[in-house]
Amino acid sequence: MKRMLTGLQPTGVITLGNYIGAIKQMVKYQDEYESFLFVADLHAITVPKEGLNLKKNTKDLIALYLACGIDPKKNTIFVQSQNEYHTNLSWVLECNTYFGELSRMHQFKEKSKGKENFTAGLFTYPVLMASDIIIYDADYVPVGVDQKQHVEIARDVAQRFNNKYGDTFVVPEPVISTTGTKIMDLLDPTKKMSKSSENQNGVIRLLDEPEVIRKKIMRATTDSEMEVRYDEENKPGISNLINIYASLTGKEIKEIEEEFAGSNYGTFKKAVADVVVSEIEKIQERYNKYLNGNEIDEILRNGANKTRLYAKAKYEAVKNKIGFYN
Ligand code: TRP
């Protein structure tokens, strides 16, 4: 079975867009791949953030993923900082990565732009990420398009190391989701639903109160027609609501158009709100159960024990190849 691995930063809110566009895909992948999922808390400190409560955010994030259907029996779930081999290997990889390569990373350029004080960690971030991936011989790495360049540098570094020291690492491939539906902002349906959007009324968060979700959907931007018809270009608002409805009910777009033929937008929006609220209520219920129980501690302990063994073996192999004394 091919191995798939991805990391999640414990910084933000999770939106309905993340759920439909990425998390639901991962829930599907867990049956097709040997899956590794970790909280990238070491990456979270590359940019200073005030009031960042890492411990709480880490637990919340895991609880939410589990609540969304990530099965701890099918996934190896762990926290990056609990596994020191990632950083050990990262140093070795840094010595096989060029300053020029890292200077060309879009994310680095964007996050350091106009700033005088950014950290060295922000600069070497992609190398730690390469280490996260290749220390487990991951074949596939599902990431958002903004992280694709980082997986590419992981490929380059793995290949370079293999050429220099002999076959050591699997060269990973990025998996950029094209099947997951892209969910748009409810108020500005021409842009992606994003947790950092200025007007949060366009953004549904998985932990929003059901009544708030309902209001946001009822106020979503539509158009001046009265027809529930899929047309991304001319009817982006309605098309977005159709996509949301389709993803959560499993219905085809055509079926939905037929179902709401002759209905007004209010009726359609209410139906969309009903399915979204019902799905999110189930997620929230499970989320609270996980947060209040101690299952997560056990899952993370097992994940740390298992991945430390894997990672240690790989790191020892690397040390031998380089010729470190041991
Ligand atoms: N940099 C990724 C992000 O911000 C998180 C991440 C860290 C990651 N290490 C990784 C993703 C390894 C995939 C594989 O989204």
Side-chain angles (χ1 to χ4, degrees):
M1 208 183 220
K2 294 279 190 188
R3 187 172 287 174
M4 184 168 249
L5 169 141
T6 200
L8 312 159
Q9 289 214 35
T11 40
V13 238
I14 308 268
T15 68
L16 182 69
N18 301 133
Y19 177 62
I20 292 176
I23 304 178
K24 275 170 77 83
Q25 302 298 308
M26 284 166 57
V27 172
K28 230 171 62 205
Y29 290 146
Q30 69 188 1
D31 293 316
E32 298 161 28
Y33 299 98
E34 184 192 359
S35 303
F36 284 62
L37 187 67
F38 68 94
V39 178
D41 54 350
L42 298 175
H43 280 105
I45 63 168
T46 52
V47 185
K49 273 214 182 70
E50 273 192 45
L52 179 67
N53 189 340
L54 276 176
K55 204 175 272 181
K56 176 176 184 300
N57 288 0
T58 296
K59 191 166 181 186
D60 289 355
L61 184 68
I62 301 280
L64 201 50
Y65 269 71
L66 293 171
C68 287
I70 292 293
D71 182 343
K73 293 198 186 69
K74 296 178 184 164
N75 291 268
T76 301
I77 302 172
F78 66 107
V79 178
Q80 189 186 28
S81 65
Q82 290 196 310
N83 192 331
E84 65 273 27
Y85 295 102
H86 291 223
T87 34
N88 288 357
L89 178 64
S90 188
W91 172 256
V92 172
L93 299 181
E94 277 179 37
C95 298
N96 287 278
T97 307
Y98 298 110
F99 187 88
E101 281 175 310
L102 293 178
S103 309
R104 286 191 290 276
M105 294 289 113
H106 306 311
Q107 181 180 282
F108 171 70
K109 287 201 276 189
E110 194 188 304
K111 292 198 173 170
S112 61
K113 196 162 82 190
K115 296 212 176 85
E116 255 174 60
N117 288 320
F118 44 85
T119 66
L122 182 67
F123 187 67
T124 57
Y125 173 125
V127 190
L128 176 60
M129 182 160 159
S131 175
D132 297 336
I133 298 168
I134 69 179
I135 204 164
Y136 299 109
D137 285 329
D139 299 287
Y140 298 115
V141 185
V143 282
V145 70
D146 62 310
Q147 296 293 317
K148 183 162 179 250
Q149 200 186 25
H150 292 158
V151 182
E152 279 159 4
I153 204 170
R155 288 174 63 82
D156 293 342
V157 173
Q159 260 156 354
R160 188 173 302 147
F161 192 96
N162 288 348
N163 290 339
K164 196 161 160 191
Y165 296 103
D167 249 359
T168 310
F169 297 114
V170 167
V171 179
E173 270 179 53
V175 178
I176 310 297
S177 173
T178 45
T179 44
T181 313
K182 191 160 141 195
I183 301 304
M184 312 304 273
D185 190 279
L186 295 179
L187 294 178
D188 179 359
T190 59
K191 69 172 213 260
K192 202 176 139 187
M193 184 180 283
S194 156
K195 64 173 190 209
S196 46
S197 177
E198 248 168 59
N199 190 340
Q200 286 295 306
N201 287 329
V203 182
I204 296 178
R205 302 157 168 233
L206 289 193
L207 297 178
D208 273 344
E209 296 280 335
E211 273 323 300
V212 172
I213 295 173
R214 214 172 264 290
K215 273 199 198 118
K216 287 179 177 175
I217 293 173
M218 295 312 289
R219 288 181 194 153
T221 302
T222 52
D223 52 64
S224 56
E225 290 185 4
M226 300 216 312
E227 195 186 1
V228 179
R229 178 169 52 82
Y230 195 85
D231 177 348
E232 271 181 34
E233 202 174 311
N234 301 308
K235 298 164 75 70
I238 286 294
S239 302
N240 188 37
L241 293 175
I242 293 178
N243 275 334
I244 293 173
Y245 193 74
S247 310
L248 299 184
T249 56
K251 289 181 185 169
E252 300 288 333
I253 289 174
K254 255 202 123 28
E255 237 177 292
I256 298 169
E257 286 174 340
E258 277 161 23
E259 182 178 345
F260 294 98
S263 304
N264 61 28
Y265 286 171
T267 309
F268 175 53
K269 282 177 165 177
K270 186 173 174 305
V272 176
D274 285 344
V275 296
V276 173
V277 165
S278 130
E279 181 105 357
I280 289 188
E281 270 178 344
K282 276 184 257 160
I283 292 174
Q284 293 183 351
E285 205 175 294
R286 288 192 294 259
Y287 170 79
N288 287 321
K289 210 184 84 218
Y290 278 116
L291 268 192
N292 296 326
N294 38 26
E295 211 174 322
I296 290 181
D297 291 336
E298 197 191 322
I299 291 169
L300 294 181
R301 204 173 327 113
N302 290 338
N305 289 339
K306 176 174 164 189
T307 57
R308 286 183 83 250
L309 280 181
Y310 279 33
K312 179 171 196 282
K314 186 59 101 180
Y315 182 61
E316 293 298 333
V318 166
K319 277 169 76 178
N320 281 330
K321 294 207 174 188
I322 296 176
F324 285 146
Y325 197 89
N326 63 14

